[in-house]
Amino acid sequence: MKVKIDREEMTKALQEVVSATPSRSTLPILSNLLLECHNEKLKITATDLEICIRKYIPAEVLEPGKITAPGKKLHDILREVSDEVLLLEETKGFGIILRGGKFYVKLLGFSPEEYPDIPEITGKEISLNATLLKEMISKTYFACSREETRYVLNGILFDFQMQRLRVVASDGRRLALYQNKLETNFQGKYIIPQKTIVELLRLIEKTETDVIKIKFSEKNNQIAFTTPDAELITRLIEGDFPNYEEVIPDRSSNRMKIKTTQFYQAIKRASLLSTAESIAVKLEVTKDKLTVSKITPELGEVREDLDVEYKGEDMVIGFNPQYLLDVLKTITEEEIDFELNGTDKPGVIRLDSNYIYLVLPMQLV
């Protein structure tokens, strides 16, 4: 294998794929990248056996072939090189040589035949608008569970229904749902791991295309997200996601209209007095008035009155402030409606007919 590559293009590509190489593994070859070149393209593959990231960059292929190279080390070297064009070639003993104008680097790798086989994803394929997909993920994935015991909640549910996609995340104490219309009758439920979601957001941010293609492989329990120059393949989380539809309440008449930024800032200030032993922030709602407060005996007290539109029942209720901050900082609307269903029932934020966020209250100490 021998190929000329643009250093900047190669460095950017490596930066995007090395996150898929594990920091520790019983398989040393997983710290390596698989480099394959043909048809004036260099394909770079990284995997930890759970996810796989591939990047394709233009290259002048002098001799087609494939080799492996230590990913993070190769990336570190390229960042310190100033030459615009580099020669990458295979050497004896499964090594790789990188040449510039006046420098030479040799790195030892493994036989490319030892690299894990990444099966091609074949099956149903659909296309989604990249900007819309990013918004659907950004407004939901923060609600995923971080507890290992709740395995099926450690990811986002992609629920494809007749001409509609619902993206859902929950940790059992809150739930975020974003739905949008699709021009397809495809149906199916897939739980995407959190790590994959983070990589998918990076993929969307880096791509210049308006479309993300999704391929499904029922046979291998895998899914792939592709753009013209990149591919993200992941194993799906196995199991049944809880029936989220049955926990969504009907609209409440106890509905408070409040400015989003004002609400966020008040909760943020009150949360500064929260501790691990005393988390909940108190909301006192009366006619057209909201009082946000927090008392922590060993720290002090904060209290703030806000003007709101509210004609419902007077109520005193506590919430985990972080659960409110997480959603409020993603909302671009100037005002929101916050529904209060009772001191032991979830508060609800609805944006048009597309977005719903539920959060369970906390007991006030």
Side-chain angles (χ1 to χ4, degrees):
M1 170 180 157
K2 185 182 291 187
V3 58
K4 284 185 178 181
I5 51 97
D6 180 273
R7 182 196 60 82
E8 186 175 355
E9 288 274 1
M10 181 76 165
T11 305
K12 288 180 179 178
L14 292 183
Q15 185 175 3
E16 293 178 40
V17 302
V18 291
S19 57
T21 58
S23 55
R24 293 182 180 180
S25 174
T26 56
L27 294 176
I29 196 171
L30 295 182
S31 66
N32 278 229
L33 306 175
L34 180 64
L35 310 177
E36 304 171 84
C37 62
H38 53 83
N39 298 331
E40 303 306 309
K41 290 278 187 179
L42 176 63
K43 179 169 71 172
I44 308 169
T45 301
T47 185
D48 62 2
L49 300 183
E50 293 297 324
I51 69 170
C52 169
I53 302 177
R54 286 192 179 123
K55 283 289 293 182
Y56 301 85
I57 63 172
E60 182 182 345
V61 179
L62 305 176
E63 294 179 12
K66 59 182 178 180
I67 55 177
T68 69
K72 291 183 173 63
K73 189 62 65 178
L74 180 59
H75 178 240
D76 290 343
I77 291 171
L78 285 174
R79 289 173 59 189
E80 302 302 325
V81 173
S82 58
D83 300 67
E84 293 183 2
V85 178
L86 301 173
L87 180 66
L88 194 65
E89 61 182 314
E90 181 180 1
T91 187
K92 293 182 180 180
F94 308 119
I96 179 174
I97 293 177
L98 193 64
R99 299 181 191 273
K102 294 183 179 181
F103 88 98
Y104 159 101
V105 176
K106 179 180 178 181
L107 296 172
L108 298 180
F110 294 84
S111 167
E113 303 305 322
E114 296 180 29
Y115 202 82
D117 181 42
I118 309 297
E120 294 296 326
I121 305 298
T122 58
K124 180 68 177 179
E125 178 180 306
I126 67 171
S127 297
L128 290 179
N129 178 273
T131 302
L132 173 60
L133 181 58
K134 179 182 177 182
E135 183 178 6
M136 296 180 80
I137 292 172
S138 298
K139 286 188 175 179
T140 53
Y141 90 100
F142 57 82
C144 290
S145 174
R146 271 67 177 175
E147 299 174 14
E148 293 184 4
T149 55
R150 314 199 72 175
Y151 187 61
V152 295
L153 297 182
N154 289 167
I156 286 184
L157 173 68
F158 277 45
D159 185 2
F160 291 90
Q161 302 178 355
M162 293 289 287
Q163 297 189 337
R164 180 172 63 178
L165 168 62
R166 283 181 167 178
V167 175
V168 187
S170 175
D171 62 7
R173 293 173 287 274
R174 54 180 171 171
L175 181 146
L177 181 155
Y178 198 130
Q179 64 180 3
N180 216 287
K181 293 181 179 179
L182 294 181
E183 295 182 1
T184 175
N185 292 328
F186 178 73
Q187 298 182 67
K189 295 183 178 183
Y190 306 88
I191 307 175
I192 316 296
Q194 285 182 59
K195 182 177 180 181
T196 303
I197 292 300
V198 172
E199 296 297 340
L200 178 55
L201 286 173
R202 289 177 183 164
L203 176 68
I204 296 173
E205 289 170 358
K206 298 291 183 180
T207 188
E208 296 180 358
T209 183
D210 294 332
V211 175
I212 298 289
K213 291 184 178 180
I214 307 179
K215 298 179 182 179
F216 307 88
S217 174
E218 302 290 353
K219 179 180 178 180
N220 298 317
N221 193 40
Q222 291 182 315
I223 192 170
F225 300 89
T226 66
T227 67
D229 65 351
E231 185 173 25
L232 172 61
I233 302 172
T234 182
R235 292 184 183 277
L236 297 165
I237 294 178
E238 297 186 28
D240 295 324
F241 200 87
N243 185 350
Y244 62 88
E245 294 177 310
E246 67 180 10
V247 302
I248 299 174
D250 294 332
R251 287 187 178 273
S252 171
S253 58
N254 297 320
R255 192 158 55 245
M256 173 176 63
K257 185 179 289 293
I258 186 170
K259 292 186 181 300
T260 308
T261 301
Q262 188 181 50
F263 194 24
Y264 176 88
Q265 292 173 343
I267 296 295
K268 183 69 173 178
R269 285 188 281 267
S271 72
L272 297 177
L273 293 189
S274 290
T275 65
E277 294 75 27
S278 177
I279 297 175
V281 166
K282 182 164 71 172
L283 305 186
E284 298 177 71
V285 193
T286 57
K287 182 180 179 181
D288 293 337
K289 179 182 176 183
L290 167 66
T291 300
V292 179
S293 63
K294 177 64 184 171
I295 300 175
T296 307
E298 65 272 24
L299 290 177
E301 177 180 358
V302 60
R303 181 184 179 91
E304 187 169 350
D305 293 329
L306 304 176
D307 293 328
V308 299
E309 291 182 28
Y310 184 74
K311 301 294 189 294
E313 301 174 9
D314 291 357
M315 200 174 303
V316 177
I317 189 169
F319 287 102
N320 183 323
Q322 193 59 51
Y323 287 1
L324 293 177
L325 295 174
D326 284 344
V327 65
L328 291 172
K329 67 184 178 183
T330 72
I331 294 174
T332 56
E333 284 79 357
E334 184 177 345
E335 291 185 326
I336 60 165
D337 285 341
F338 189 31
E339 300 173 21
L340 300 173
N341 296 281
T343 57
D344 60 346
K345 295 180 181 179
V348 183
I349 294 174
R350 303 179 203 258
L351 303 179
D352 299 322
S353 59
N354 293 330
Y355 185 74
I356 301 175
Y357 181 75
L358 278 66
V359 55
L360 289 175
M362 293 187 72
Q363 185 174 356
L364 290 165
V365 179

